[in-house]
Amino acid sequence: MNPSTLLLVDLQNDFMPGGALAVSGANEVIPIANKLIDQFDLVVATQDWHPPDHGSFAASHEGHNVFDEVGLNGLPQTLWPTHCVENTGGALFAPTLNTAGIDRVFPKGTDASIDSYSGFYDNGKRASTGLGDWLREKGVTAITVLGVATDYCVKFTVLDALTEGFAVTLHVPGCRGVNLQEGDCERAIREMSGAGATLT
Ligand code: VGL
Ligand code: ZN
């Protein structure tokens, strides 16, 4: 019990350079992840996994552009390029990621009507992915988190993990972000740290 646990956030082709929602330097995270995978008892990954008409896609909102802010189901929503569509290559994990070392994958963003930045809950905390219960079943009390994007999915995953009572270490060198506004990643790291995450 209490296995050391690594949580990999969204290390998928569409977030890699050249992908539909490329995050600068995201490819540099893969070797870091592979090295850490061998050092943890348990490895769990989230996978952004959207239906083709997902409400977070600009293409789903006539007259709107990528990065516009709209309302979606009563929640503010940034509109993204179409990305991580279920069963497409862009949604697959990066080819050099050691997926054989991953014990369990939790898809998120599968409901077209709501986005899910966190690996634990959708953005309205309406539905759970099951990640929290699964970690508790395994006797996990502490997790180390890395991945993309620092200012979206990593941030909300870490904040939810803390709320769920897990001790969280953010592996800062293993994170890359979008920075729609300059400083977003720095602010996100400060917010996670302020909420109780340990930075390494
Ligand atoms: C993400 C925007 C949209 C992420 C996912 O992985 O941070 N960002 N979908
Ligand atoms: Zn997404």
Side-chain angles (χ1 to χ4, degrees):
M1 282 305 248
N2 203 5
S4 65
T5 302
L6 179 67
L7 173 54
L8 308 172
V9 178
D10 296 1
L11 296 180
Q12 297 165 257
N13 287 328
D14 270 342
F15 298 119
M16 299 294 140
L21 179 36
V23 174
S24 176
N27 55 311
E28 298 160 5
V29 173
I30 306 304
I32 296 171
N34 285 341
K35 194 167 169 206
L36 286 172
I37 283 169
D38 292 334
Q39 299 171 9
F40 281 81
D41 298 326
L42 202 58
V43 180
V44 58
T46 63
Q47 190 171 27
D48 213 34
W49 192 258
H50 299 309
D53 60 347
H54 195 265
S56 74
F57 298 162
S60 304
H61 301 263
E62 226 191 293
H64 281 282
N65 297 311
V66 166
F67 308 134
D68 281 357
E69 288 280 339
V70 299
L72 183 65
N73 239 303
L75 296 170
Q77 176 69 51
T78 301
L79 295 182
W80 301 106
T82 298
H83 66 279
C84 296
V85 173
E86 56 190 15
N87 302 308
T88 66
L92 296 177
F93 290 120
T96 57
L97 181 66
N98 175 19
T99 51
I102 298 173
D103 296 290
R104 175 76 192 256
V105 175
F106 285 88
K108 62 185 180 62
T110 57
D111 178 346
S113 70
I114 193 163
D115 210 355
S116 189
Y117 293 147
S118 161
F120 290 86
Y121 298 99
D122 62 56
N123 290 359
K125 281 215 165 190
R126 292 166 193 169
S128 160
T129 61
L131 172 59
D133 285 340
W134 186 82
L135 291 172
R136 278 183 285 271
E137 274 166 32
K138 299 281 182 195
V140 173
T141 61
I143 61 174
T144 294
V145 180
L146 62 75
V148 296
T150 313
D151 36 356
Y152 292 93
C153 292
V154 171
K155 175 176 117 173
F156 288 99
T157 297
V158 165
L159 295 178
D160 276 353
L162 292 165
T163 303
E164 294 276 303
F166 298 101
V168 179
T169 299
L170 180 71
H171 192 279
V172 179
C175 293
R176 296 293 185 279
V178 177
N179 271 330
L180 274 190
Q181 308 286 337
E182 200 187 315
D184 277 355
C185 287
E186 252 184 72
R187 276 188 291 276
I189 291 168
R190 237 181 289 132
E191 194 176 337
M192 291 184 265
S193 167
T198 300
L199 307 182
T200 195

